Amino acid sequence: MPVLERRPRYEQGMNFAAVLRDTQGHRDDLPPPPEFDAPAADLAERARRALYEVSDPEFPISLVDLGLIYGVEADEVAGVVTVSVTFTATACPCMDFIKWDVRERLLEEPDIEEVRIEIVWDPPWTTARIPERGRDILRASGVAV
Amino acid sequence: MSDTKTAYKSASELSEETRNALGALLLALADNKRLLGIRYSDWILGAPSVEAGIACSAMAQDEWGHGRIVYSMLKDFGFDPHHLEHEREAEEYHSAGVLDSDGTSWPELIALNFLLDTALTVQFETLHESRFEPIHYKVRKLLDEERFHFEHGRGWTARLAETEAGREALAEAFGNAWTSCLAWFGPDDDAIATVLATEGIVSGDAAATRGRWLARVGPVLSAAGMDLAREDADGWVSDAEPNWSAWSTERRRVSTGGPDEDTLARVRGDRNRSLLID
């Protein structure tokens, strides 16, 4: 029977989360966000637009363009933004990267003090949920959709 | 039961009896998913074809994804998720006896794929319209992913049955796994299934859910030359029965013991403890 100890996350002086992210997350080939006719009407819309800059870790496409963002709500007074996000698969190995990237990007935005992420599975994501702009982006990358 | 329409939004809204029953069922589902994932992973390299190995890789990943979703719900039922995933002894796992140790043949893996994975899927189907909303909203995605597992199990069962040697191996492997898988549903008067069906948490009691599973797997088994299930006037039935004298309704199994040492180390992640990222 092995000794079972609960150890602190970075006991050995190494930030494994950062290592994983540096080796597997981040992309620098994301297409630019769409051009909007008018400034965002409210904080929720501004936050949603910012998520065009958060990429899926496996393809050069944003979470919004992939249809993974199911909702963005904002408490304008408290500066709290709640993002409902789903994943392509229940065992998506990139869940943590995606959550970190969403949080990091939104906290760069003025007036946002806190980011809450709710994971939702219903309705289930399928490729049918990819919007037209996302389909064009994937096709341009050589992915058949 | 006074009102069958009200939806429950959290475990705290359930009666103690229902909460305990559903917590036990969810833990058994999560444990079986986690263990089954390990069994699929045993064949990622060494399956009869590269494609079959890749399918095992995908199914192993799915099972652990499903396990993760269900384990994460159990905090609401008073369980400590860290303890559940990393600190339990073998006898505390609520997993089928047929998962206790690794199999030695591909037909044994296909028996798990087709019989046990389908049994778990049928059980998740009974939660699809559950009054307990937190599970109800997670099941559709899981069932979408399980369609492919069923097709894989069905396809390989039929393929192996094409030769005499394959039929013999199938009969042995499926025969050995049969009562362990059948036991998942429990006896007709199973305490947990009865409570949950009465409360509208699951859509069928033990007999109904077992019947649904037999109707799903029976025709495929028959076509493959196996007589484990047969169709009579009431639907598909099994003549063999688990030895219910050793039945544990919480653990959903008829044998004592639990995962062997190697399996336990893998399922708990003992060797990766220092890398754990919460």
Side-chain angles (χ1 to χ4, degrees):
Chain A
M1 175 64 209
V3 178
L4 296 174
E5 294 173 359
R6 189 187 300 214
R7 297 185 182 183
R9 287 170 65 172
Y10 309 128
E11 184 189 47
Q12 294 164 27
M14 179 178 281
N15 184 333
F16 285 104
V19 171
L20 284 171
R21 195 174 157 204
D22 285 347
T23 53
Q24 296 180 43
H26 277 322
R27 301 195 66 95
D28 52 13
D29 50 358
L30 199 58
E35 290 179 12
F36 297 99
D37 295 334
D42 53 28
L43 184 57
E45 176 59 17
R46 183 149 58 82
R48 201 184 79 84
R49 290 182 183 183
L51 294 177
Y52 276 105
E53 295 169 30
V54 179
S55 67
D56 173 83
E58 292 182 333
F59 290 101
I61 182 171
S62 76
L63 302 182
V64 181
D65 288 318
L66 202 49
L68 295 176
I69 303 298
Y70 279 10
V72 180
E73 293 178 6
D75 177 336
E76 306 240 357
V77 177
V80 177
V81 170
T82 303
V83 181
S84 297
V85 58
T86 194
F87 299 100
T88 57
T90 58
C92 170
C94 301
M95 285 183 188
D96 284 342
F97 306 136
I98 290 172
K99 287 191 281 184
W100 289 330
D101 289 348
V102 166
R103 185 166 280 120
E104 189 175 82
R105 174 61 190 89
L106 292 184
L107 288 174
E108 286 174 5
E109 202 64 21
D111 311 319
I112 297 181
E113 304 297 327
E114 184 182 343
V115 178
R116 294 179 186 163
I117 297 174
E118 287 186 357
I119 298 172
V120 290
W121 294 106
D122 198 281
W125 184 91
T126 69
T127 52
R129 299 190 67 84
I130 303 175
E132 200 49 45
R133 181 181 133 98
R135 292 174 184 278
D136 290 341
I137 292 168
L138 286 173
R139 285 187 200 108
S141 306
V143 179
V145 283
Chain B
M1 181 178 58
S2 54
D3 175 2
T4 56
K5 290 178 182 168
T6 307
Y8 299 113
K9 296 192 182 304
S10 76
S12 61
E13 295 176 14
L14 303 170
S15 71
E16 185 178 355
E17 184 185 43
T18 307
R19 185 167 61 245
N20 290 340
L22 181 55
L25 181 70
L26 293 176
L27 179 56
L29 283 166
D31 280 350
N32 276 281
K33 287 274 168 190
R34 190 56 69 85
L35 268 292
L36 183 57
I38 287 184
R39 294 294 158 249
Y40 280 128
S41 79
D42 291 336
W43 291 90
I44 292 174
L45 297 174
S49 67
V50 170
E51 290 80 2
I54 291 169
C56 284
S57 174
M59 293 190 289
Q61 188 179 356
D62 287 343
E63 296 304 335
W64 277 45
H66 301 165
R68 174 165 64 185
I69 285 178
V70 183
Y71 280 125
S72 71
M73 299 178 65
L74 285 166
K75 193 174 178 184
D76 199 24
F77 288 81
F79 292 97
D80 171 3
H82 182 90
H83 173 75
L84 286 182
E85 293 202 51
H86 304 293
E87 297 179 344
R88 282 181 296 159
E89 302 292 345
E91 299 74 23
E92 296 174 271
Y93 276 82
H94 294 194
S95 47
V98 72
L99 294 170
D100 285 349
S101 53
D102 59 348
T104 54
S105 74
W106 178 249
E108 287 177 18
L109 189 272
I110 296 304
L112 295 179
N113 178 188
F114 190 61
L115 300 179
L116 186 63
D117 207 353
T118 304
L120 302 176
T121 297
V122 167
Q123 188 70 68
F124 275 107
E125 286 171 1
T126 71
L127 290 158
H128 187 202
E129 299 299 332
S130 179
R131 292 172 69 195
F132 186 65
E133 284 189 351
I135 185 74
H136 156 145
Y137 284 125
K138 295 181 170 89
V139 166
R140 279 174 65 193
K141 178 70 176 174
L142 184 152
L143 292 175
D144 275 0
E145 294 179 341
E146 282 293 334
R147 277 188 215 152
F148 154 69
H149 298 209
F150 180 78
E151 290 306 326
H152 186 268
R154 178 165 68 176
W156 269 101
T157 301
R159 184 169 169 184
L160 290 167
E162 286 173 4
T163 66
E164 191 175 337
R167 283 192 294 277
E168 283 176 16
L170 270 183
E172 186 181 354
F174 278 55
N176 289 338
W178 184 250
T179 51
S180 180
C181 299
L182 190 62
W184 164 266
F185 304 99
D188 287 355
D189 62 352
D190 175 57
I192 284 177
T194 303
V195 166
L196 295 179
T198 306
E199 277 295 317
I201 304 294
V202 297
S203 62
D205 61 11
T209 311
R210 187 193 316 119
R212 193 165 168 171
W213 174 71
L214 287 166
R216 185 87 45 93
V217 300
V220 179
L221 300 177
S222 267
M226 289 180 272
D227 58 3
L228 294 163
R230 62 179 171 79
E231 192 173 20
D232 70 10
D234 298 324
W236 285 86
V237 295
S238 165
D239 292 324
E241 269 213 67
N243 175 12
W244 296 119
S245 66
W247 169 246
S248 162
T249 185
E250 286 84 10
R251 298 187 73 202
R252 315 304 296 167
R253 60 187 279 162
V254 288
S255 57
T256 54
D260 66 20
E261 202 171 316
D262 177 60
T263 305
L264 197 58
R266 292 170 69 191
V267 79
R268 293 193 305 212
D270 289 353
R271 290 166 197 155
N272 297 324
R273 194 53 46 91
S274 64
L275 305 181
L276 199 61
I277 299 169
D278 290 326

